Amino acid sequence: MQRFGEIVARAAKHRRTLTAIDATATRLYGWRWNPVHQSGTVAVAMLLVLIGTGVYLVLFYRLGSPWASVARLAADPWLGAWMRSLHRYASDVFLIAAALHLLRMFTQARSWGPRTLAWMSGLVLFGAGVVCAWTGFVMAWDTFGERLARDGARLLDVLPILSEPLSRIFAGDGPVPSAFFFVNLFIHLAVPLAMGAILWLHVSRMARPVLLPPRRVTWTIVGALTVAAVFVPATLGPPANAFHLPPATPVDLVAAWWLPLSERLTPGVAWGAALVPLFALIAVPRWTRRPREGRWAPSNVDARLCTGCTQCAQDCPWEAITLVQRDDGRPTPLAHVNPGHCVSCGICAGSCAPMGIGPPARTGRDQLAAVRDDVLPLLARSDAAPVLAICCERVPASHTAALRQRGAYVHVVSCVGNLHSSVIESLLRAGAQGVLVGGCPPRDCASREGPKWLRERLYNDREAELHVRVDRRRIRVATLAPGDLRGSIDAFEAFTRELALLDQPIRETATEFDAVCDPVPLDEVAS
Amino acid sequence: MIQAAHAGRGLVAAIATAAAVFGVSRASAILLPLHDAHSARLRLSWSARPERIEVCRTLSAEELAQREEHMRQRVVCNGRFASYTLRVEADDRVLDEAVVRGAGLRHDRPIYLLRDFDLAAGVHHVRVSFERREQMDGTAAAGQGGTRTERKEADTEKEEIDTGIFAGRAQREAVEYARRARAAIPPRLLLDTTLVFGSGRAIAVTFTPERRMLQLLAERPPRR
C-alpha cells in the first residue's frame, strides 16, 4: 500500500506529459485561448450545452418506442438530427475536458489538503458524467445501447442488489419493460440535476469561481461541434433485438472506452479493474499531500502589522482569511487565516501593504529581504543597469534561460500574485533599468488569481498598489507560457527596446531598504 | 509580416480544431466486433417458482387448545424448495450440466435462469432437460400439502371444524395449494428437438407457466 502511495505521489510530480499537452495547445491557439487551460470550464460549458439540447430531445423521446422516437429525431434534417448529434458530441467533449481537468489538478499537485473537497467532488462529477453518457446511449436502444445495457446488467447482477437478475430483461422471453426505460430516463435526467449541486460543492471553497471559459473559446467549441453535428451526424445503430447477434456495433469510444475491456472480463474481475483505479483516485489527496511546513505552510498574520484593511480577505482566492476582533485593544479587526482552507499560494502577501501576512518566508518583508541579499548586490556591482525578470517558479526553465541569454537577471518567486509591489519599486530605485514580471497564463495560474491581482496592484491602484512615483514605463507584465518561448522572448525584447529609449535610471542607495526589510522588534512596536 | 503570421496561426488552429472535432465525431462511432458473423446462440431464460417439498403434521386437539384461537392452524408443514438438474445438449454434446436452485440465501426465491450457449449457425439437435433432484418418497410437494396419509387426516379434521373463524378456510387452503402447485415448476421438463439456427440469430428456450412446459422463442418484431 505504501509503495502504491509512493507511485501515486511520484506520478503527481511527473508533469512532463501535461506540459507537453499544454505547450502544444498554446502553440496552436495561443495562451489566451488555450482550451487545455480551460478544461474545467469547458466541461461546465459542455454541461450547459447538454442540458439545453437534452431538454429539446427529451420532448420527443417516447418510453414506449425508444428506438423509433430517436430514429425520427435522427431523420429530421432541420433540427432533430443536429441537436441529437450536438448532444452526443458535447457529452464526449465533456468527458474529455473533465478527464483533462482531473489530470491537470493531479499533476499540478492541486489535489490535496484544502483542495480535497474539490478533488473528491470532481471525481463524483466525472463519474456522474460517465453514468449520464451510459444511460443516454441506452435510451436510444440501438445495438450499442443494448450492448451497454447488457454489460451494465451483467456487472450489476453479481452484486447482491436485485433478487432477479437484470440481464433477464434483455433475454427476449418478454418485451423489455417500459419501467426499465423509465428508470433509465429518470437517472439520465436526475443525475445532471445532482451534478449542478455537486458543481456548487466543487467550487464552494473558491472565491470568485470562474465557471465558463472565455466567450471565444466557448463559441469556437460549440460552433465546431455544431458544424460537425450538421455535416457528420451521430450514428444510430439498428434497433436492439434480443434475437439478433450483430457482428459489430458502433461504439462511442470516448464515453465507453472501457466497454471492450469490460466485456472480456468476468464481472468480478471487471469490478476489480474498475475499483482499483477508483480507490487510487480517491486516495490521491492522502497520498499526494505535503507536510504543512516550508513551501506548504499556511499563511501567518503578524498581528502587530495588520491594520484590518480586509484587502487580504478580499484577494484570497480560497476564502481562507476572515477578519476577527482583536484582543489587544486596537479598534481595527485582525486578519485570521484558516489553515484548513489556506493553500499557501501567497496571494495575501502581495495584497498587504504593511506586509503583515503571508506564508512563512514569503511575506512582503521576506521578499524584500531576499531581493536585498540576492539582487541588490548584483545591481551595485554592475556598470550598466540590468533588466530584471521576476518569474513565477512555474515558468519553464527554457524561458528563464532564454531571458538570461539576453542579459536579464532572473529572480524567481513562488507566484507573481505573491509578489509585493514594493519589491518592484525597490529594484527600480536600486538602479534596475526595468523589471519584467513574467507569470503564468491568467487562466493557468496555480494560485488562481496571481496575474490578475498583480496587474490590479501595478496599474489599477488595488490595495498594496505600486507607489505612484514609480515609472510604469520601466515595468512590464508578461505571460511566459509553456509552448510560447517565442512570445516570451518577443515580450522581453520589445520591453528592452522600449527601455532603451528611456533615460538611464537613477540609482539610489540601498541603505533605506534595511529599515523596511528588518523585522520590527516587538518592544519597539509596543512602545 | 505579423498579420501573415497571425493568419497562418489562425489557419493552423482552425485545422487543429476541425481535426479534433472530426476525431471526436469518428471516435463516437467506432465499429467494434461483438459476435462472430457465423455464430448463433441458444439462450435459456426463465423464471419460475421451484416446487415446495414439505412434510406436514396435523396438530392434536390438545396442541390446538394450547394456542390462541387465531393461531390454531391444524396442519403445520416444514420443508424446503426443490433443486433441479439442468442439462443442455446440442448434437449429443453436453453444453452444460448444473444444479439450479431458487435465488436467495435460503433458495426460497424463484429460480432465475439465464444461460447463453454459442453454437455454429446451422441445424442442431438440441435437448434441454430440467429435472427435480429430490425424490418424493416420504415427502410431498406443496401441491399435495403433506404425505397422502397426513393429507387425508387433515382433510377430515378440516371438515369437522370448518366453522366459526375457520369457516371457509379449508377451501381457501385448497385454492392456495392449487395455485402454488400450478405456479411451481413441474418435476420434469424436457425439450428435445432439432432447430435451425440462422447466422447471427438466437433462439430462446423459456418456461411458460400457463402451459407448464418449455417453449421455443425466436425473433419477434423489435421494440419500436
Side-chain angles (χ1 to χ4, degrees), chain A residues 10-196:
Chain A
R10 203 178 305 144
K13 292 173 188 166
H14 196 77
R15 295 193 61 200
R16 261 186 301 182
T17 308
L18 177 67
T19 308
I21 297 171
D22 265 359
T24 306
T26 297
R27 277 187 206 103
L28 286 169
Y29 300 102
W31 56 263
R32 282 185 183 81
W33 319 117
N34 186 337
V36 180
H37 293 169
Q38 319 285 337
S39 51
T41 54
V42 165
V44 176
M46 290 301 102
L47 187 60
L48 294 179
V49 171
L50 286 165
I51 291 171
T53 52
V55 166
Y56 175 83
L57 294 175
V58 82
L59 295 176
F60 300 93
Y61 186 68
R62 298 285 174 270
L63 288 173
S65 52
W67 185 86
S69 60
V70 177
R72 267 197 299 277
L73 269 170
D76 170 19
W78 298 109
L79 204 57
W82 70 263
M83 282 288 254
R84 176 177 169 269
S85 302
L86 181 59
H87 191 73
R88 169 93 158 252
Y89 296 155
S91 73
D92 290 340
V93 175
F94 170 86
L95 290 174
I96 293 170
L100 200 53
H101 187 59
L102 206 66
L103 175 70
R104 288 178 66 76
M105 295 303 107
F106 175 66
T107 52
Q108 291 181 346
R110 293 160 77 176
S111 55
W112 62 278
R115 286 157 165 145
T116 301
L117 177 67
W119 174 263
M120 300 302 263
S121 55
L123 283 183
V124 175
L125 282 171
F126 184 72
V130 172
V131 170
C132 273
W134 193 327
T135 52
F137 289 119
V138 171
M139 277 174 74
W141 205 234
D142 59 354
T143 47
F144 174 45
E146 185 194 31
R147 189 173 178 175
L148 274 175
R150 278 183 188 278
D151 199 60
R154 189 178 68 97
L155 296 176
L156 285 177
D157 283 344
V158 296
L159 305 178
I161 300 173
L162 303 168
S163 61
E164 179 167 1
L166 200 56
S167 301
R168 281 208 59 246
I169 294 177
F170 318 116
D173 51 335
V176 179
S178 290
F180 167 76
F181 293 107
F182 174 78
V183 171
N184 188 66
L185 177 65
F186 178 80
I187 295 170
H188 191 69
L189 298 183
V191 170
L193 293 178
M195 285 171 80

Side-chain angles (χ1 to χ4, degrees), chain A residues 65 88 171 244-245 247 251, chain B residues 28 30 34 43 200 219 223-224:
Chain A
S65 52
R88 169 93 158 252
H244 279 205
L245 308 174
V251 172
Chain B
S28 78
I30 301 279
L34 184 59
R43 178 177 299 143
E219 185 174 356
R223 187 185 180 90
R224 284 171 188 265

Side-chain angles (χ1 to χ4, degrees), chain A residues 6 44 61 181 226 231 264 309 329-330 333 386 417 434 447 524:
Chain A
E6 286 170 12
V44 176
Y61 186 68
F181 293 107
T226 306
F231 292 103
R264 283 171 175 76
C309 72
R330 284 166 64 182
S447 306
E524 194 177 303

